[in-house]
Each structure stands twice: as structure tokens, then as C-alpha cells.
Amino acid sequence: MIEIKNIDKYYQDIKVLDDVSMTIKSGEIFGIIGHSGAGKSTLLRCINRLEDYKNGEILVNNKNVKNLNEKELRELRKDLGMIFQQFSLLERKTVFENIALPLECFKYSKDEIKRRVLELLDLVGISNKRNEKPRNLSGGQKQRVAIARALALNPKVILCDEATSALDPNTTKSILNLLQDINNKLGITIVIVTHQMEVIKQICTRVAIMEGGKVLEIDDTEEVFLHNRNGLRALVGEENIVLPKGINIKILFPKEISNDTIITKMARDLDINFSIIFGRLEKFRKNILGSLIINVPANNGDDVRQYLDKEKIRWEEIIND
Ligand SMILES: Nc1ncnc2c1ncn2[C@@H]1O[C@H](COP(=O)(O)OP(=O)(O)O)[C@@H](O)[C@H]1O
Ligand SMILES: [Mg+2]
């Protein structure tokens, strides 16, 4: 488990992480999304202690990363595999040798290295490329090598910094499928830093949205897309559309009831008029999620609230800014 508590970090006088808190549970696929400059990479480097920070605490499996001696720091980094956008492979070495590197650093025997590298090549699906140099591989194959190398020392966590940002959409999907597989089979926690919404949508169970060094929102991914709150709207640059008079109510359509007829039924049952001012449907994995904002006259507010509660419809009131 990774617990990040109230982290502040500065570069010179500029605050690049501002009271950042989040908890990443063991075994989950956790996404951190934000525009360029939001502080995502800096946060990752604070977790594996490549960067220092001013205030706050980061605990990785209950160990405070700030107080580690050199040996403990090596152990921490062994537990935290990392992959990057630019793959960071050594061009002069073969695929096999690249994956063997961390094992050599930790003084594994030749036999052990061979056994482990062959196993990893098989896991990431590039056994036939073992003697190639990186320049003869496609982007997706290079990232597979990097993933194998990150897994070499049996880490508990893999930190991915824009790991799919240099790949085309189909290759991105296949790399995300591989990460999901690794998460399923090996139970490894995966932290995915990205600016790509599709990545979050495809595999993250929970997500934190960051902007300007701050966390705007953290929730289950499905809830984030269902509610479309300030955090997500800030990320995609969408305004909240509400009317200045009456009461604005957002009705949520989770996947179980995406095509319900609640709106027309409510109008009939309550015999009131209301305007529909905004609606959206969002494809989320195999389902459709959606929400609809309606505006009702102030004196009908209580009837509508009670009706929605009685029908077990999820809703929230949108208060004008
Ligand atoms: N080594 C550094 N020195 C000074 N400023 C930095 C350094 N690294 C990052 N920054 C600044 O910190 C902020 C966050 O950067 P970064 O963590 O790379 O964001 P992201 O990964 O979300 O794009 C940016 O404003 C960036 O310019
Ligand atoms: Mg970055």
C-alpha cells in the first residue's frame, strides 16, 4: 500500500506539489491523470524517492520513504518497478541483456538470470526477439522489454510514467491489456500516470485527477465518469451548464439503468413541467453511463427530490456558483 499524505514540494520558489494526498491500495490499478506540468512525474519520483519533498509523508508498505538508509532505499526501489514513455533501453544490448540488467545488479547467478529472463520474455510475449537490439523492435515491443525489465526483481508495484503516450491506439490497448494481465496473474499493484483519458477508462479501478500540483478529485473511475464533477470537467475543459433560476438536479444513470424512462415517467406521475438543460452519455468499458441535468421550479423541488429517492434513482443538486 502507498499512502501519500499532504505532500508539498518546491522547485526553487515554485510549489509543484500542493498538499497532495492519496492512498493506493495493494493490488489495484490506480490512475493519476492531468495535463502536462500538473506534477504527476514529480509525484512518482517522490514515491520511489528519486526526489525529496518538503512537507508531508509517503509510506510504502508502512515504511516512511524519507527515513531510509542506503540499503533500505535499494530494497524500496527493488519493490517499485518503473516504466517510461521513452522506454529507456540500452541500445547496445540485446533484449535479453536489457532484461538481465537489474538481475546482474543484484548479483543473481548466470543460471538464475537465464531462467528468469526466459520466463519474463514469455510473460510479455516477445520470446522470439530475445537476441534483437532495441532498434529492430516496434514501440510496443520495446515497451514489452521495458515491462519485463521492470518485473525482473519481482516488484510489488509498477509505476508507469506515460508508458503508452508514444504508442498508437492499438498498441496502447495491447500494452494496457498486458499490464492488466500482470495485475491479475501476479497481483502487482500498478500506478499509471498519464494525460490520456482512454488509458484511465480502459484499465484503472480508481483515479486521481491532478492540476497545477493539486489533487482535484479521487474516486472509482466509474464514479468519476458518472458524476462528471468539477475535477473531470476542469480536465476536459467543460463548463457546468445550469440555469440561474429554479433548482438544477443532475440525475445519474449508472450502468444498470442506462436506458430507463424515468424522466417521462416522473413528469407524468408528478404532473409537473421541467426543462432538460444538459445530458450526456459516456461509453465506459462495456456499458453506457450517463447523466441528465433538469431544471424544476423551486416550489416543485421537494416533490422531485422525494420522488427520485422513492424510485431509488441517484441524483445530486447542482448549486449555482
Ligand atoms: N527538475 C526540475 N526543476 C525545476 N522545475 C521542474 C523540474 N521538474 C519539473 N519541474 C516543474 O514542475 C512542474 C511539474 O512537472 P512534472 O511533474 O514533470 O509534471 P507532469 O509529469 O504532470 O507533466 C512543472 O511546472 C515543471 O516545469
Ligand atoms: Mg510527466
Side-chain angles (χ1 to χ4, degrees), residues 11-12 16 35-42 45:
Y11 283 120
Q12 290 86 42
V16 294
H35 296 134
S36 176
K40 308 177 299 292
S41 298
T42 304
R45 290 201 304 271

